[in-house]
Amino acid sequence: MPDAAPEAHSEVHSEATLGGKAVLVLTTNYGTEQDELRKPVAVLREAGARVTVAAQKDAEIRTVVSDRRPGAVVRPDTTLAKASADEFDAAIVPGGTVNADRLRTDDEARRLLAAFAEAGKPVAAICHGPWLLVETGLARGRELTSYPSLRSDLENAGGTWVDREVVVDTSGRHPLITSRKPGDLDAFASAVVRTLARGRTPADEKGTH
């Protein structure tokens, strides 16, 4: 993804070095909230992680700003169909209303997120991104947050919704990280970095068998 990303905050990156970690970002090709895609990518890469952006199609991603204005055009690294959870340590689902609504009906996106969860790997979602948690059953029994309009959806899916800038729930099979909106991105990205820093890489996991 060659596009310039927003400047990252050094206090986020000083918390950990993520060399050897690999993160997959799941998105469609239209309607993804610009900063919710670009900032976590920039933060994680600065912290040393390898980040791969997977879109529905091998075509440009046309992002938006505040769901209304055209944002940056981003090239994905691969497609959802070609991606495998086995190759990554964590998954991130950005928001954007149109993006999230399309993503939650995508069979490949659901397949990937379920595989991350089954393997016990961290799943992170922000803003409208938690819609995908509803569709995959990953909200059930978990404490989480989202854009406020998703509260009823998440509660109806069995989750406990709270109004905080970031929620890290480690009570289930896999760590779950959620945030409400672009204004929470610093806390969101920092939580992903800290969670990954405490985890293991796919190579580590293979070495334990």
Side-chain angles (χ1 to χ4, degrees):
M1 194 172 73
D3 308 73
E7 183 177 351
H9 293 268
S10 59
E11 62 267 23
V12 173
H13 312 299
S14 64
E15 296 168 353
T17 300
L18 300 182
K21 301 292 186 179
V23 179
L24 184 68
V25 179
L26 287 66
T27 182
T28 63
N29 293 84
Y30 177 75
T32 310
E33 188 67 31
Q34 172 186 277
D35 289 352
E36 291 173 4
L37 173 61
R38 297 171 76 198
K39 186 163 188 176
V41 169
V43 167
L44 286 160
R45 285 179 176 166
E46 186 172 321
R50 175 173 62 86
V51 184
T52 298
V53 177
Q56 285 179 309
K57 301 176 182 179
D58 183 16
E60 65 183 25
I61 300 165
R62 290 180 290 155
T63 70
V64 294
V65 177
S66 300
D67 266 339
R68 296 184 299 274
R69 303 189 305 277
V73 173
V74 177
R75 285 293 309 181
D77 302 299
T78 188
T79 62
L80 296 172
K82 292 179 180 178
S84 170
D86 293 340
E87 301 174 0
F88 299 93
D89 299 286
I92 295 179
V93 184
T97 307
V98 173
N99 166 67
D101 192 46
R102 292 179 176 179
L103 199 62
R104 66 175 175 169
T105 62
D106 186 280
D107 290 340
E108 296 297 343
R110 293 197 298 259
R111 170 189 65 82
L112 282 167
L113 213 64
F116 275 98
E118 180 64 25
K121 297 175 181 179
V123 170
I126 185 169
C127 202
H128 287 77
W131 262 335
L132 190 55
L133 304 177
V134 172
E135 299 299 329
T136 52
L138 301 185
R140 183 170 301 279
R142 308 302 293 268
E143 183 177 83
L144 70 174
T145 193
S146 67
Y147 195 74
S149 63
L150 274 64
R151 177 174 181 170
S152 294
D153 295 336
L154 292 166
E155 290 180 339
N156 289 336
T160 299
W161 191 90
V162 294
D163 187 12
R164 294 205 298 270
E165 65 177 357
V166 65
V167 178
V168 181
D169 184 321
T170 58
S171 65
R173 183 180 183 90
H174 65 93
L176 181 62
I177 305 162
T178 51
S179 284
R180 303 167 301 185
K181 56 189 178 180
D184 299 333
L185 276 167
D186 284 343
F188 180 71
S190 182
V192 174
V193 169
R194 289 195 306 270
T195 300
L196 273 171
R198 290 193 292 265
R200 301 173 67 83
T201 67
D204 290 333
E205 296 295 337
K206 291 176 184 177
T208 63
H209 295 294

